[in-house]
Amino acid sequence: MAMLWKFMRVAKYSKTALSPKVKVRGIPTHSRHSSSKTVPSDFAASAPCSNTVELLGKTYTQDDYSNVTEKILSKVGKNLHNRKYHPLWLIKEQVKDHFYKHYIGRRGTPLFSVYDGLSPVVTVQQNFDSLLIPQNHASRRKEDNYYLNRDHMLRAHTSAHQWDLIRSGLDAFLAVGDVYRRDTIDNTHYPVFHQMEGVRLFSCHELFSNIKDGEGLELFEQGHRTAHKQECHTMEAVRLVEFNLKQVLTKLMTHIFGDGLQVRWVDCYFPFTHPSFEMEINFQGEWMEVLGCGVMEQQLVNSAGARDKIGWAFGLGLERLAMILYDIPDIRLFWSEDERFLKQFIGPHIWQKIKFQPLSRYPPLINDISFWLPSETYSENDFYDLVRTVGGDLIEKVVLVDEFAHPKTKKVSHCYRIVYRHPERTLTQDEVHRIHQAIEESAVRELGVEGRF
């Protein structure tokens, strides 16, 4: 379930894939975690010398829609969710173990199949069109996504594989992987995170077999769309699918977080699910959104070849669950190579109780940057992406602290506060100054702003 934009930005079996060889704009590099001990070059501002990108063994021609950066491409293929004993792997394995044990097919084998190695490079058709997301929907904007070109992109959600997996004949599956979105910068937002997608389809017999006098009930009817059902679904079918979905997810969260967990459901709307809901759990006295779900749009199910079935879908963020379960305070830590972080999650079994112990609390360094916006369209996500590209994981937070419109010229000025903090060591004023200066220069060169430095 993909349209969990508000939450999933936070913020859901195999060995870790080898780092891919990436060639960006004619410049070959080997994908690796960026080292924040070196001062970034201003590669973010360099003009392209080639119009192709090579990624995961394929070549993509760049065009006016291409906006993926080398920094983001360096994350492709890391597959943290498949790295044994990584906290994201632990969460994935816990969910997988729960579904394997509690949902058994007619032959005694697990009902749900798991796909955690699907390529993060998808077509725009897979990411949007197959999910019935309108052409003019805001979620398609360049400001929010990473496009290789007009036809290919880094998936913005694991729902990009929904249609293909249903088309292959699957009725119940979990799809896990890294997803990519341009977003704000703080301790719960990162441009690469991990999602888990769950889908379950029911035939008429499967849905009504345990219902008294269920032989006369039907999945579909002619009627009008309401706030509680789709136009083609019967009310009985929708209510049973909704009940099954909420029951499945409540059991899952209780299994992960323990008995006594308080759960509540909030009505919402996603383009390709109806009705749809968000689940919130009460953790340490605070209500926190953990996933979104809903009854799948029948048009989507029909187009994938399952016309005689009705189903539900859910989507959850692995980082969000891991941050709550293990008390991890900063989303950047999931990308840490520090053994002091990684060793904390090694245990005899996946259900071991773990509470993250901070490595240290290094002081932040804060710098402001002010500039006049260009006359043409300006996107804050363009600036955030530039800051991440230049500053990497040294950037803890970026906040717009002031916006000023000149009374005579009508020009608009933005002032952003950039918080620098390394999760594993103390930064020096000198290295932060050089990075901040590189951000200023890149903003002028790449975004066309007029500096007020």
Side-chain angles (χ1 to χ4, degrees):
M1 248 274 300
M3 296 300 294
L4 314 177
W5 297 106
K6 179 179 66 175
F7 158 63
M8 289 306 182
R9 289 174 179 174
V10 172
K12 347 194 172 327
Y13 328 101
S14 59
K15 295 183 178 179
T16 304
L18 295 176
S19 297
K21 186 173 183 180
V22 180
K23 184 181 289 185
V24 185
R25 296 175 177 175
I27 306 172
T29 64
H30 284 278
S31 176
R32 62 188 182 276
H33 292 290
S34 61
S35 172
S36 48
K37 293 185 179 181
T38 59
V39 179
S41 65
D42 61 341
F43 66 85
S46 60
C49 58
S50 174
N51 64 345
T52 63
V53 173
E54 293 182 15
L55 184 62
L56 301 178
K58 295 184 179 180
T59 301
Y60 301 91
T61 302
Q62 294 182 313
D63 56 27
D64 60 328
Y65 244 65
S66 304
N67 66 351
V68 65
T69 65
E70 184 176 1
K71 183 71 175 180
I72 296 302
L73 289 175
S74 72
K75 304 292 187 181
V76 178
K78 295 295 185 181
N79 296 328
L80 300 183
H81 60 289
N82 288 336
R83 183 173 179 177
K84 194 171 183 179
Y85 298 122
H86 191 280
L88 298 180
W89 176 85
L90 289 174
I91 289 291
K92 181 199 73 171
E93 290 297 310
Q94 289 180 23
V95 177
K96 172 182 156 186
D97 181 67
H98 173 79
F99 274 90
Y100 275 9
K101 289 180 178 178
H102 291 83
Y103 303 97
I104 306 299
R106 287 176 293 181
R107 298 181 180 180
T109 56
L111 179 65
F112 284 80
S113 51
V114 178
Y115 297 85
D116 60 5
L118 300 171
S119 174
V121 179
V122 297
T123 64
V124 172
Q125 193 279 334
Q126 288 176 298
N127 200 79
F128 295 121
D129 298 336
S130 71
L131 300 172
L132 312 180
I133 298 176
Q135 288 288 336
N136 61 349
H137 197 273
S139 64
R140 291 177 178 256
R141 298 184 308 171
K142 286 178 62 177
E143 290 84 354
D144 295 325
N145 299 284
Y146 288 105
Y147 286 91
L148 294 171
N149 52 41
R150 282 187 171 270
D151 298 320
H152 296 86
M153 63 187 297
L154 297 178
R155 63 187 169 205
H157 41 232
T158 46
S159 298
H161 306 290
Q162 237 181 54
W163 192 94
D164 292 323
L165 292 173
I166 294 174
R167 185 71 176 178
S168 71
L170 296 175
D171 288 340
F173 58 84
L174 304 174
V176 194
D178 44 328
V179 299
Y180 301 76
R181 295 198 196 138
R182 307 176 79 200
D183 210 338
T184 54
I185 302 176
D186 58 37
N187 68 319
T188 59
H189 292 75
Y190 201 79
V192 189
F193 54 103
H194 298 75
Q195 277 188 350
M196 175 176 284
E197 187 88 3
V199 169
R200 174 78 195 276
L201 301 181
F202 301 88
S203 66
C204 186
H205 172 74
E206 289 171 324
L207 193 60
F208 297 127
S209 60
N210 295 323
I211 304 299
K212 184 179 179 180
D213 300 325
E215 299 83 4
L217 299 178
E218 300 290 340
L219 295 179
F220 310 111
E221 67 177 11
Q222 295 301 316
H224 298 287
R225 188 184 184 100
T226 71
H228 305 290
K229 62 180 286 291
Q230 296 179 38
E231 181 176 0
C232 60
H233 293 161
T234 63
M235 184 63 74
E236 295 84 1
V238 171
R239 289 306 187 202
L240 283 174
V241 171
E242 177 186 329
F243 175 77
N244 180 268
L245 171 59
K246 291 182 176 180
Q247 188 179 49
V248 166
L249 294 175
T250 299
K251 288 181 178 178
L252 172 62
M253 290 299 123
T254 301
H255 198 63
I256 291 177
F257 293 102
D259 293 331
L261 181 73
Q262 292 180 281
V263 173
R264 71 183 183 189
W265 299 92
V266 180
D267 291 346
C268 59
Y269 176 75
F270 304 130
F272 53 88
T273 57
H274 187 76
S276 52
F277 317 90
E278 291 174 345
M279 173 192 266
E280 295 181 348
I281 66 172
N282 194 308
F283 192 78
Q284 297 180 348
E286 180 182 354
W287 285 101
M288 310 176 81
E289 181 185 339
V290 293
L291 58 82
C293 58
V295 180
M296 297 183 69
E297 281 288 347
Q298 197 59 38
Q299 183 181 344
L300 188 162
V301 177
N302 290 347
S303 68
R307 302 183 63 87
D308 58 342
K309 296 180 180 179
I310 182 176
W312 52 247
F314 72 80
L316 58 86
L318 299 186
E319 278 87 349
R320 181 60 162 172
L321 294 183
M323 292 178 79
I324 296 173
L325 185 62
Y326 302 129
D327 201 19
I328 298 174
D330 194 319
I331 196 170
R332 294 176 300 164
L333 285 167
F334 291 105
W335 296 91
S336 175
E337 291 288 354
D338 194 320
E339 288 298 316
R340 294 174 298 168
F341 172 77
L342 297 173
K343 285 184 177 180
Q344 293 188 40
F345 302 94
I346 298 176
H349 55 81
I350 60 174
W351 296 103
Q352 181 180 354
K353 298 295 183 183
I354 300 171
K355 180 177 175 61
F356 170 68
Q357 300 299 317
L359 308 181
S360 183
R361 190 60 177 172
Y362 298 103
L365 294 177
I366 299 174
N367 282 279
D368 291 350
I369 178 173
S370 299
F371 47 75
W372 296 106
L373 304 189
S375 56
E376 59 268 19
T377 302
Y378 168 81
S379 167
E380 285 191 17
N381 279 350
D382 287 340
F383 177 67
Y384 296 144
D385 206 37
L386 182 146
V387 172
R388 281 197 186 278
T389 299
V390 178
D393 288 350
L394 297 186
I395 309 298
E396 179 179 78
K397 190 174 184 179
V398 178
V399 181
L400 177 63
V401 294
D402 184 62
E403 185 172 356
F404 167 73
H406 196 283
K408 293 184 178 180
T409 65
K410 306 302 180 184
K411 294 201 303 183
V412 177
S413 171
H414 278 188
C415 177
Y416 295 90
R417 180 153 296 157
I418 303 178
V419 180
Y420 298 84
R421 191 200 307 263
H422 197 297
E424 299 163 6
R425 67 180 178 87
T426 299
L427 294 173
T428 67
Q429 288 283 1
D430 184 59
E431 62 183 319
V432 167
H433 173 73
R434 295 200 299 269
I435 296 168
H436 197 75
Q437 187 175 31
I439 291 173
E440 292 174 340
E441 295 171 354
S442 295
V444 172
R445 189 161 46 237
E446 293 298 302
L447 304 181
V449 302
E450 180 183 343
R452 302 180 68 191
F453 314 138

